[in-house]
Amino acid sequence: LVYPLVYILFIRYRWSITEEVLQEENCRMDDIVARCDSIVQNYSLIIDYNTRASFMAAFDATVQAFNSADTACVQVLLNNERFAPWLALLILSAYQVYGGIQVVQGDLSLGVYLVNIGFYASFG
């Protein structure tokens, strides 16, 4: 009961953050495409007026902006991906302590405890 509830709350919290970084990455990719298109269409003017350096600097800034957005996006997606195994490990660890105490006190049989450990381990 705890696992789905916490996971749903996590997804609800992370939804807007994930959407924001994905949108930013897509916008920066669109900027690269637009910049490339502009350079290709204006290639003869760039060469004729010897403005290659300024166009390269602008393109480099566009690529750096995309790289920053991509890094942020990858970090958020990786954190989202790794949350479920960490949550399962946390729940399993908590049950090992709680269930172990119950086994030692005689309130829970060792067989039931081991079956429950196997069940909780299957989440991760």
Side-chain angles (χ1 to χ4, degrees), residues 91-105 108 113:
I91 290 172
L92 177 63
S93 300
Y95 183 74
Q96 284 178 336
V97 171
Y98 175 73
I101 290 171
Q102 284 189 324
V103 169
V104 170
Q105 292 176 346
L108 184 67
Y113 171 73

Side-chain angles (χ1 to χ4, degrees), residues 38-87:
S38 173
I39 290 171
V40 168
Q41 287 182 356
N42 297 314
Y43 178 74
S44 60
L45 291 173
I46 294 168
I47 296 301
D48 290 344
Y49 289 101
N50 198 21
T51 57
R52 182 177 176 194
S54 64
F55 275 86
M56 287 301 297
F59 184 73
D60 187 45
T62 304
V63 170
Q64 287 178 357
F66 170 76
N67 286 342
S68 296
D70 184 55
T71 300
C73 184
V74 167
Q75 288 172 346
V76 168
L77 293 177
L78 186 62
N79 286 339
N80 290 350
E81 180 181 321
R82 292 196 176 165
F83 179 75
W86 278 102
L87 179 60

Side-chain angles (χ1 to χ4, degrees), residues 95 99 102-104 106-119:
Y95 183 74
Q102 284 189 324
V103 169
V104 170
D107 297 335
L108 184 67
S109 72
L110 181 61
V112 172
Y113 171 73
L114 293 175
V115 168
N116 288 343
I117 290 291
F119 174 73

